[in-house]
Amino acid sequence: MTEINRRLVLRARRDGLPHVGDFAVEHAPMPEPGPGQFVVRNLYASLDPALRQRLTLTDSYVPRIELGEVLTATTVGVVAASRDPAYPVGSHVVGHHGIADYWLTAAGPVTRTIDPSAASSLSHFLSVLGPTGLTAYFGITRVARPRAGETLLVTGAAGAVGSVAGQIARLSGCRVIGIAGGADKAARLTGEYGFDAGIDYRDKTLAGLTAAIRDAAPEGIDLLFENVGGIQLDAAIDCMNERGRIAVCGLISQYNATEPPPPLTNLFKLVARSIRMEGFIVRNYASEYAAAAATLARWVGEGKIHFRESIHDGLEAGPEAFLSLFTGWNQGKVMLRLEPSA
Ligand SMILES: NC(=O)c1ccc[n+]([C@@H]2O[C@H](COP(=O)([O-])OP(=O)(O)OC[C@H]3O[C@@H](n4cnc5c(N)ncnc54)[C@H](OP(=O)(O)O)[C@@H]3O)[C@@H](O)[C@H]2O)c1
C-alpha cells in the first residue's frame, strides 16, 4: 500500500448545476482496518445522477453529503487489508464506498464479493452487471411487469439504465419505444439497442412530444419506464392506455432545477384510465443482486443486451465526468477508473 490516500470531497454546494470547483481531491492517511473491517483498493467508481440529490437534499433516501466529506458511490475494488474473514485480502468486492484510492469499510447490505471472471472487464460490475443494469432489471421485471405484445416507452432511453431497461422489455416480447436527446442518440436506440422506434425530444414542446409518441405508438402505451419527468412524463401519460403501468425510476430533469417543475397537465388521466404509477429504489432488491447479475451476464454473453460505458481516468476527472450526466454529453454508464491497469 502507498502511504497517501487520495479522496474526492465536496467543497461547496449550490442550487442548480454544480460547478467543477465544488469538488476537490484531498490527501488523507491510509486507513487501517479494525476488528470486522476491511480496506478496499478501489479500481472503478460509479458516478450516478442520484449523487446530485445527495449534495443538497435532506430528504433523499440516502444521507446528504456534508461539506468536506468524501463523495460516496458504488465502487468495485480489491480487498487490500482485512480483519473480516468473509472479505479476505485479494478478493474482489462491490459496495457503497468512498470515491477514493482506499476506503475503510465493513460488510453491509449492498456489499458483495464478485467473481471477476464473470465479466470481460471489472467496469461491467458498475454498468450492466451493477447498479444501472440491476435498476433496469428490477424496474422492468418487478415494477413494470411487462406482458408479451405490450408497448413500453422508456425516457432517458439511451442512458445506462434506460438502454438496458428497453432491451429487457424487448426480451419479454414488448414493442419498445425510447426517447433520448439528439438525433444520434435517438438513432442509437433502434440501431444499437434494437428498440422499435426512437424519438429525439430536443426542441419539442409538450404537444410536439405527444404527437411524436402517438406517431411511434398509434395503439397507445401500456408501460412507461420513467427516468426524466417534466414534459416527457406529461406527454407519455397522455398517450397511455387503460390499466397502464408507470415505473418511476428517476426524474433527472428536476435534479438541478431552481424553479418548481411545471404541473403535470395530464395527471387526472391516471384516474380516468386506472393507471398504476409506482416508484422504486434498486437497493430494495439488494438481497437478489447476485442472481439478477448472473441473468444479466448470461444475456450479455448471448448477445441479447448491448451497453456503453463512459470511462474517465483518475479522481481529478470526477467533477467533469459527473456533470456530463446532466448535459447528455455522456454516452453510457459514467464511471472513474482509479487504477490505470484495471
Ligand atoms: N430508482 C433507482 O434505484 C435508480 C438507480 C439508478 C438510476 N436511477 C435513475 O435512472 C435515471 C438514469 O440514470 P443513469 O445512471 O442511467 O444515467 P444516464 O441515463 O446514463 O445519464 C443521464 C442522462 O439523462 C439525460 N438528462 C440529463 N439531464 C436531463 C434533463 N434536464 N432533461 C432530460 N434529460 C436529461 C441525458 O440523456 P439525453 O442525452 O438523452 O438527454 C443524460 O445522458 C436517472 O433518473 C437516475 O436518477 C434510479
Side-chain angles (χ1 to χ4, degrees), residues 19-37:
H19 296 186
V20 166
D22 295 347
F23 310 92
V25 176
E26 67 161 34
H27 291 184
M30 282 297 300
E32 291 287 339
Q37 295 181 319

Side-chain angles (χ1 to χ4, degrees), residues 24-48:
V25 176
E26 67 161 34
H27 291 184
M30 282 297 300
E32 291 287 339
Q37 295 181 319
F38 55 97
V39 174
V40 178
R41 177 165 63 88
N42 286 321
L43 304 176
Y44 292 91
S46 176
L47 291 170
D48 303 298

Side-chain angles (χ1 to χ4, degrees), residues 47-50 53 61 131-132 135 156-162 179-181 185 201-202 227-228 232 248-255 280-283 324-330 332-334:
L47 291 170
D48 303 298
Q53 294 164 293
Y61 52 92
T132 52
T135 300
V161 173
I179 301 180
K185 283 192 179 179
Y201 72 81
R202 293 208 193 268
N227 285 314
V228 172
Q232 296 193 33
V248 186
C249 176
L251 299 171
I252 196 165
S253 68
Q254 292 169 24
Y255 297 173
F280 72 97
I281 303 171
V282 65
R283 54 172 67 188
S324 75
L325 287 162
F326 306 107
T327 58
W329 177 57
N330 71 314
K333 172 69 202 121
V334 179

